Amino acid sequence: MTKFFIISFSALALSSFSQTSFNFSVTGELKNAPEGSYTYIHHKWDGKDVTDSAKVKAGKFTFTGKGKEPNMFWMTKSRSMNEQPNLIFFIDGGKTTISANLDSLPKAKVTGGQTQKDYADYNAMMFGFGARQQVLVNAYNEAKNKGDAAVMNEKVAEYKGMETEVKAAIENFIKSHSKSAVSGYAIYYNNQNSTAPVEELERVVGLLDKSVLNTKYGKLAQEKVNQIRGTTIGYPALNFAQADPTGKMVNLSDFKGKYVLVDFWASWCGPCRAENPNVVMAYNKYKDKGFTVLGVSFDQVKDKWIQAVEKDQLTWTQISDLKGWGNEAGKLYGITSIPANLLLDKDGKIVAKNLRGADLEAKLEEIIK
């Protein structure tokens, strides 16, 4: 009951699109900014992080640039594009005006083109829901402190009901703003950790006007559909490649024609190490019947990874990019805890997830004839 449905607007991704360029300017007032200091705006485009700076003179600043389509920008007090808090806005050409206080950037007043107006409406809607949800969270915590289970259950039910309301509101926004980049953004960002059926997400993306589908955020929305489809039981698994301990690149698609358990683990993960004997047992029992395992390690230290492989007698193919929790395959599949696994059939289709202990052997017994 402590996690909000409302998401932050700090994480972005990227895509590319080509059309006639437009010129834009961002001018504004920045109160409390020291004379001669700098302010910064950032955006992401075509695989690159872009940062621009402007000197503050008499509390005023100006940015100018070119764009190819409506895109999200954000302003920070320092050059770090990951600085929080920040001010987020959309630019779609023409003039954008900002009236801000250096000490409270997110509360700035921004005026601009139609896309910024759409974003302001969307933002107001989402923050309105956030405020209502906070009231429920506060009431829940108060009831918890009093030991009032009836009120706690009531607030949980209201909270879940509001999640349904938020979902419907976002969909209605997309319907009424089908030609806006903000709608593509809303689909993409609100489905970062979606558990909704892929068919439902496909339907929502279908609400976008065709003119949006070829834009940055339209493409991101479609990519999110493809990602969810490729990590859903019943669909072909998304391919990825990482290096084995010798440095040789190994693709998941190399294992087509076999039943494959894609096993996400790490040497430092106690539950993973405890589960390894079960995986070893299943591997030894079914390896001669077309079954194998592909271990994907969330390690960062190569030596510790290799030592654990040897100690636990993991004789199947092992790969890793040594990025720890930043493992690219883990991010691709939305892995937020380990151990985790996917079982693929001979065609590379996902048939089960997160099988442990006897459940793994039972599923292999069922599908391997």
Side-chain angles (χ1 to χ4, degrees):
M1 191 64 183
T2 60
K3 183 178 180 181
F4 277 6
F5 178 88
I6 303 301
I7 44 81
S8 67
F9 300 94
S10 60
L12 300 168
L14 30 117
S15 181
S16 62
F17 180 66
S18 179
Q19 68 174 31
T20 303
S21 297
F22 55 74
N23 295 317
F24 69 81
S25 67
V26 180
T27 61
E29 177 184 24
L30 190 57
K31 297 177 182 178
N32 291 339
E35 181 68 16
S37 63
Y38 285 84
T39 186
Y40 304 86
I41 62 170
H42 319 269
H43 71 280
K44 290 178 179 282
W45 185 258
D46 199 21
K48 298 178 181 179
D49 296 336
V50 182
T51 295
D52 193 10
S53 63
K55 180 176 285 189
V56 181
K57 299 179 181 180
K60 308 289 184 180
F61 63 86
T62 300
F63 294 94
T64 58
K66 287 187 176 182
K68 294 185 177 180
E69 65 176 70
N71 194 17
M72 179 179 278
F73 285 66
W74 62 105
M75 176 182 287
T76 60
K77 293 186 287 185
S78 75
R79 184 172 288 276
S80 172
M81 67 189 313
N82 297 315
E83 183 181 73
Q84 296 289 337
N86 54 31
L87 169 65
I88 297 176
F89 53 96
F90 271 83
I91 289 176
D92 58 8
K95 184 176 181 179
T96 298
T97 302
I98 295 173
S99 178
N101 188 307
L102 184 65
D103 300 322
S104 55
L105 281 180
K107 297 181 179 180
K109 179 180 179 181
V110 182
T111 58
Q114 184 60 50
T115 311
Q116 171 57 26
K117 294 176 183 177
D118 295 341
Y119 179 67
D121 290 343
Y122 174 80
N123 228 7
M125 177 183 75
M126 296 300 283
F127 278 109
F129 281 120
R132 290 172 55 193
Q133 287 177 317
Q134 184 63 60
V135 170
L136 291 177
V137 170
N138 293 342
Y140 174 90
N141 289 333
E142 183 179 348
K144 183 178 180 180
N145 291 334
K146 294 179 179 178
D148 192 336
V151 173
M152 290 169 63
N153 291 334
E154 175 186 318
K155 298 308 173 185
V156 169
E158 290 181 38
Y159 191 93
K160 290 182 178 179
M162 186 171 290
E163 288 182 344
T164 300
E165 185 181 348
V166 171
K167 186 176 179 181
I170 293 173
E171 186 168 325
N172 287 333
F173 178 91
I174 294 167
K175 288 178 181 178
S176 60
H177 298 78
S178 62
K179 295 183 179 181
S180 176
V182 179
S183 291
Y185 164 79
I187 295 173
Y188 165 75
Y189 205 73
N190 282 290
N191 287 281
Q192 288 300 294
N193 298 297
S194 177
T195 57
V198 66
E199 295 82 5
E200 180 178 326
L201 186 53
E202 288 174 332
R203 179 185 60 78
V204 175
V205 171
L207 299 175
L208 294 174
D209 187 84
K210 291 182 179 179
S211 63
V212 176
L213 294 178
N214 285 325
T215 66
K216 170 180 174 176
Y217 288 107
K219 288 182 178 180
L220 285 173
Q222 294 172 85
E223 288 172 10
K224 181 54 60 177
V225 170
N226 292 335
Q227 181 184 12
I228 293 176
R229 184 189 295 114
T231 59
T232 298
I233 292 175
Y235 291 91
L238 288 171
N239 190 40
F240 62 88
Q242 291 185 13
D244 70 9
T246 70
K248 177 184 176 182
M249 294 303 294
V250 178
N251 285 272
L252 176 59
S253 58
D254 296 340
F255 296 86
K256 284 283 185 71
K258 289 189 174 184
Y259 296 99
V260 185
L261 183 75
V262 184
D263 186 32
F264 297 94
W265 74 292
S267 66
W268 46 261
C269 169
C272 302
R273 303 294 294 275
E275 182 64 21
N276 278 343
N278 295 321
V279 182
V280 170
M281 187 181 303
Y283 175 74
N284 289 333
K285 183 174 182 178
Y286 293 97
K287 66 180 180 179
D288 296 327
K289 298 181 180 180
F291 170 69
T292 192
V293 181
L294 175 62
V296 182
S297 170
F298 279 29
D299 275 280
Q300 290 181 291
V301 181
K302 185 176 181 179
D303 288 346
K304 291 184 178 180
W305 168 37
I306 295 173
Q307 289 169 10
V309 169
E310 294 174 350
K311 184 175 182 178
D312 292 1
Q313 299 181 354
L314 311 182
T315 56
W316 49 82
T317 302
Q318 293 285 340
I319 60 175
S320 180
D321 58 13
L322 298 177
K323 294 183 179 180
W325 281 110
N327 185 285
E328 295 298 332
K331 292 194 292 185
L332 182 68
Y333 279 87
I335 304 300
T336 57
S337 65
I338 52 175
N341 60 53
L342 311 165
L343 181 60
L344 314 185
D345 66 13
K346 291 184 176 182
D347 296 320
K349 185 182 295 184
I350 301 173
V351 295
K353 288 185 175 183
N354 297 324
L355 297 169
R356 296 189 188 181
D359 290 338
L360 173 59
E361 186 170 344
K363 188 63 178 181
L364 292 173
E365 184 70 27
E366 173 191 329
I367 65 175
I368 298 178
K369 307 299 182 182

